[in-house]
């Protein structure tokens, strides 16, 4: 049994009724009223495997003894839940199905770390402390951006990360599916996107300045049925999947597959391969009507695979829009002609035209565009939203212009950044961002008015995988810092300087045992284990605190 003071994310309130416990046994029933069936299915499957208890179905609405019951209560806000454990029964009440599911996650924490295992270890006693917990999320968007383009994560790994997200009450997977180094989603209209674009011949090991190469081909992609499975699996866990199809930069994998997409009057696009190193790539999409038609064909299939009603924020489609060098456009006769025919001022306005086209195209189909904060340059349609990554300034500008914002500033929540300044840190990238740094991150900038602050949908951590070649490396960079981000996103915390980090560390001591049970290769508080180090692999450490913005 877990102490009531060891929950992560921290709930709004906990009230206790003495030292009594509710003991689950072979006769304990599990049942659900109308509207909370997905939480009941998940809880039954999970706890039957971990506890070995049958948890037979009971009659709903009877408040029977020796029972765990889930109910819906319109009086609770969306996403909120209440757990009451008393008199040999446990009642989880949710304001909606997502709230009931969040309550089920908390109940699993109360049962102790062994409840996070996939099989019964022979434990004979399972206890819940008698108490009442009231809880609700602070932000609606509580996300993780997972880059599977730089290093491919097989489908089973993505499903595993959805389970890890659910365990931390995160509800948005921002799925970065395309980049210079790989195209990861099957598009039937354009088979070469995966036939050619999903594989690169070799891979840079470490930072782009490293002399080391892995000469094995690297790649892979998700079939359309894989994508449907991922989306459905996420929806069962009340997680929405927001796909990212990156344009007009970060597109060399697409150009390698279809050279006509590139600026062929400037470079020999037919000679380009899927990129094998890291950084900002000069090879960007040609700003032509033919390119627009091509990506409309891509997005038509993307919209079918990611339905607008499949989970939180499912109407959104992320189109990237970041780090698009304009050098090739400046040299391109075709691009200059397009600027003239459209009556645009320059190449920056040409990128704005490109983004605004898909803004309108998506809106006509009942969907919403979201992109990195560069898309603000040139203006956006009213329904578009912004992922603010270059500090806070993009998010502030977007909110003041009436756009919804997801705050994910690189200075705070880029989990590829190194976690310590020590020499044993594997492939040290950028500034040090510790567990405490993430815990003291505040998503809402102080300079926003209350009306502008309401535009902040929430926050997410971003996991760029250039130097994360497998699941163990991703785990190491993501955890335990994702637990801190989850609490920032969910819990009603005080101002950053006033947050009880010592108390969070104490709760993390219990949470590490849950992560152990889940098989997460997190960074230990004492530093990397010998097999987590990467001696001799060049990184790019930056000294001092990151610049504030």
């Amino acid at each position: 049994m877990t102490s009531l003071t060891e929950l992560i994310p921290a709930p709004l309130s906990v009230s206790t009724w003495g030292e009594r416990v509710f003991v689950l046994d072979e006769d304990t029933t599990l049942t659900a009223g109308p509207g909370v069936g997905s939480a009941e299915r998940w809880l039954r499957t999970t706890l039957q495997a971990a506890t070995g208890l049958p948890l037979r179905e009971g009659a709903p609405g009877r408040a029977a003894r020796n029972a765990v019951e889930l109910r819906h209560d319109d009086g609770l806000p969306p996403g909120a839940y209440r757990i009451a454990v008393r008199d040999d029964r446990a009642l989880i009440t949710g304001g909606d199905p997502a709230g009931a599911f969040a309550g089920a996650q908390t109940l699993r924490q109360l049962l102790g770390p062994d409840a996070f295992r996939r099989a019964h270890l022979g434990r004979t006693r399972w206890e819940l402390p008698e108490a009442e917990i009231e809880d609700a999320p602070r932000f609606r968007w509580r996300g993780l951006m997972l880059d599977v383009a730089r290093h491919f994560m097989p489908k089973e790994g993505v499903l595993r990360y959805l389970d890890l997200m659910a365990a931390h009450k995160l509800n948005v997977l921002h799925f970065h599916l395309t980049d210079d180094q790989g195209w990861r989603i099957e598009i039937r209209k354009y088979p070469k996107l995966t036939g050619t674009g999903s594989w690169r011949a070799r891979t840079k090991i470490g930072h782009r300045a490293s002399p080391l190469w892995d000469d094995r081909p690297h790649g892979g992609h998700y079939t359309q049925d894989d994508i449907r499975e991922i989306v459905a699996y996420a929806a069962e866990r009340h997680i929405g999947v927001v796909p990212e199809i990156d344009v007009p930069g970060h597109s060399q994998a697409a150009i390698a597959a279809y050279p006509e997409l590139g600026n062929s009057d400037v470079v020999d696009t037919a000679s380009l391969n899927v990129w094998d190193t890291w950084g900002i790539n000069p090879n960007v999409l040609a700003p032509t009507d033919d390119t627009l038609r091509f990506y409309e064909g891509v997005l038509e299939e993307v919209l079918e695979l990611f339905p607008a009603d499949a989970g939180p924020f499912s109407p959104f489609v992320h189109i990237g829009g970041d780090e698009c060098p304009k050098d090739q456009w400046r040299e391109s006769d075709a691009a200059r002609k397009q600027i003239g025919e459209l009556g645009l001022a320059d190449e920056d306005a040409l990128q704005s035209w490109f983004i605004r086209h898909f803004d309108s195209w998506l809106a006509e189909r009942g969907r919403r565009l979201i992109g990195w904060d560069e898309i603000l340059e040139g203006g956006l349609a009213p329904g578009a939203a912004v992922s603010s990554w270059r500090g806070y300034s993009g998010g502030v500008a977007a909110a003041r212009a009436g756009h919804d914002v997801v705050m994910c500033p690189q200075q705070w929540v880029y989990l590829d950044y190194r976690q310590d300044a020590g020499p044993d840190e594997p492939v040290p990238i950028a500034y040090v961002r510790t567990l405490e740094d993430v815990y003291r991150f505040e998503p809402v900038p102080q300079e926003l008015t209350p009306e502008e602050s309401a535009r902040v949908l929430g926050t997410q951590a971003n996991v760029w995988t250039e130097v994360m070649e497998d699941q163990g490396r991703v785990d190491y960079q993501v955890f335990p810092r994702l637990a801190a981000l989850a609490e920032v996103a969910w819990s009603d915390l005080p101002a950053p300087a006033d947050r009880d980090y010592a108390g969070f560390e104490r709760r993390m001591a219990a949470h590490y045992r849950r992560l152990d049970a889940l098989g997460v290769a997190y960074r230990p508080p004492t530093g990397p284990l010998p097999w987590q180090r990467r001696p001799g692999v060049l990184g790019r450490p930056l000294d001092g605190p990151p610049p504030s913005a």
Side-chain angles (χ1 to χ4, degrees):
M1 181 179 70
T2 290
S3 165
L4 290 162
T5 60
E6 294 175 341
L7 300 173
I8 289 179
L12 279 173
S13 68
V14 176
S15 305
T16 60
W17 295 312
E19 300 297 323
R20 293 192 60 209
V21 298
F22 166 30
V23 180
L24 283 66
D25 59 26
E26 294 286 330
D27 296 321
T28 303
T29 58
L30 172 62
T31 192
V36 292
S38 60
E40 185 265 346
R41 287 192 300 274
W42 176 86
L43 188 61
R44 181 184 305 280
T45 301
T46 302
L47 294 190
Q48 281 178 336
T51 67
L53 299 175
L55 297 175
R56 298 178 183 87
E57 186 173 354
R62 296 181 58 187
R65 286 185 177 275
N66 199 10
V68 177
E69 184 171 349
L70 296 98
R71 294 182 189 169
H72 174 249
D73 182 354
D74 285 330
L76 292 175
Y81 69 89
R82 181 186 301 114
I83 297 177
V85 183
R86 196 168 188 178
D87 298 330
D88 296 326
R89 59 174 67 95
L91 177 62
I92 302 171
T93 308
D96 59 5
F101 185 76
Q105 292 288 347
T106 297
L107 187 86
R108 180 166 69 155
Q109 287 197 22
L110 292 173
L111 286 169
D114 285 346
F116 287 75
R117 298 191 179 274
R118 295 186 182 183
H120 182 218
L121 302 183
R123 176 174 163 182
T124 58
R125 187 173 176 87
W126 297 89
E127 300 175 347
L128 290 170
E130 288 206 343
E132 181 168 289
I133 298 171
E134 301 219 10
D135 204 4
R138 179 187 178 192
F139 290 108
R140 290 184 292 146
W141 184 301
R142 307 179 302 278
L144 174 70
M145 191 231 64
L146 187 59
D147 167 20
V148 296
R150 272 50 178 271
H151 277 100
F152 179 63
M153 179 179 285
K155 181 195 69 177
E156 288 302 316
V158 177
L159 299 180
R160 173 179 178 265
Y161 258 84
L162 289 168
D163 281 330
L164 292 172
M165 290 175 63
H168 292 82
K169 299 184 173 68
L170 299 174
N171 69 340
V172 179
L173 173 64
H174 173 173
F175 208 15
H176 185 79
L177 288 163
T178 72
D179 216 295
D180 299 303
Q181 296 86 1
W183 185 284
R184 305 295 178 215
I185 177 172
E186 177 190 15
I187 302 298
R188 290 176 177 165
K189 187 173 183 178
Y190 305 120
K192 288 192 287 187
L193 285 172
T194 48
T196 297
S198 69
W199 287 91
R200 58 179 180 262
R202 63 175 187 168
T203 299
K204 175 68 71 173
I205 298 177
H207 183 255
R208 59 181 176 271
S210 166
L212 303 177
W213 293 91
D214 182 345
D215 288 320
R216 298 173 297 175
H218 176 85
H221 74 274
Y222 310 106
T223 67
Q224 294 205 349
D225 283 343
D226 289 339
I227 293 292
R228 291 186 181 96
E229 181 181 358
I230 288 167
V231 170
Y233 195 86
E236 278 286 308
R237 287 147 183 80
H238 299 278
I239 296 172
V241 184
V242 176
E244 180 176 355
I245 305 297
D246 220 332
V247 296
H250 289 286
S251 298
Q252 183 162 319
I255 297 169
Y258 292 92
E260 63 271 23
L261 294 173
N263 296 283
S264 56
D265 60 342
V266 176
V267 296
D268 179 12
T269 56
S271 68
L272 295 177
N273 298 311
V274 178
W275 212 26
D276 56 14
T277 190
W278 320 121
I280 299 177
N281 191 315
N283 295 304
V284 302
L285 296 174
T288 66
D289 292 340
D290 287 344
T291 300
L292 298 184
R293 301 292 89 74
F294 183 97
Y295 274 88
E296 287 172 1
V298 169
L299 290 172
E300 284 169 357
E301 296 191 29
V302 168
L303 297 191
E304 189 272 326
L305 293 170
F306 296 88
D309 59 354
F313 300 101
S314 292
F316 281 99
V317 175
H318 206 291
I319 50 74
D322 63 318
E323 297 180 329
C324 179
K326 310 298 191 301
D327 296 341
Q328 290 184 357
W329 292 357
R330 294 186 184 98
E331 298 174 22
S332 167
D333 291 338
R336 288 199 302 271
K337 180 181 178 182
Q338 184 77 299
I339 289 173
E341 290 181 350
L342 293 170
L344 302 175
D346 54 21
E347 288 78 16
D348 290 334
L350 189 59
Q351 176 167 341
S352 178
W353 164 81
F354 200 105
I355 298 300
R356 288 177 68 91
H357 172 83
F358 288 107
D359 194 349
S360 301
W361 189 90
L362 287 166
E364 289 168 1
R365 289 153 181 81
R367 307 301 280 267
R368 293 184 65 185
L369 179 146
I370 184 169
W372 302 111
D373 53 57
E374 286 96 329
I375 68 171
L376 284 165
E377 300 160 7
L380 288 174
V386 171
S387 301
S388 185
W389 75 274
R390 296 180 298 177
Y392 286 105
S393 57
V396 170
R400 287 176 173 169
H403 297 288
D404 288 338
V405 180
V406 176
M407 296 302 291
C408 48
Q410 60 182 327
Q411 299 91 337
W412 292 95
V413 292
Y414 267 38
L415 300 188
D416 52 320
Y417 280 25
R418 58 189 173 136
Q419 301 180 67
D420 190 86
D424 290 332
E425 208 63 27
V427 200
I429 298 296
Y431 300 98
V432 173
R433 292 286 81 184
T434 65
L435 182 65
E436 182 173 1
D437 290 329
V438 177
Y439 190 67
R440 296 194 187 279
F441 164 56
E442 172 49 50
V444 180
Q446 289 183 340
E447 59 263 45
L448 294 183
T449 67
E451 293 77 13
E452 293 164 349
S453 296
R455 288 290 186 181
V456 179
L457 299 174
T459 184
Q460 67 183 31
N462 292 344
V463 185
W464 301 106
T465 62
E466 286 93 335
V467 299
M468 302 177 213
E469 72 277 7
D470 56 32
Q471 176 177 289
R473 284 287 294 122
V474 175
D475 280 3
Y476 180 91
Q477 294 298 135
V478 170
F479 289 99
R481 292 182 294 181
L482 190 65
L485 184 280
E487 184 147 311
V488 168
W490 178 276
S491 303
D492 186 21
L493 297 177
D498 299 327
R499 292 175 188 172
D500 181 12
Y501 179 68
F504 178 74
E505 277 192 306
R506 178 188 52 74
R507 287 183 287 123
M508 279 302 302
H511 199 63
Y512 287 124
R513 297 196 297 274
R514 298 179 195 126
L515 296 179
D516 287 335
L518 289 165
V520 177
Y522 58 85
R523 182 189 189 275
T526 54
L529 298 168
W531 52 87
Q532 293 175 318
R533 299 168 188 159
R534 299 293 303 280
V537 179
L538 185 67
R540 181 176 164 265
L542 298 175
D543 295 329
S548 60

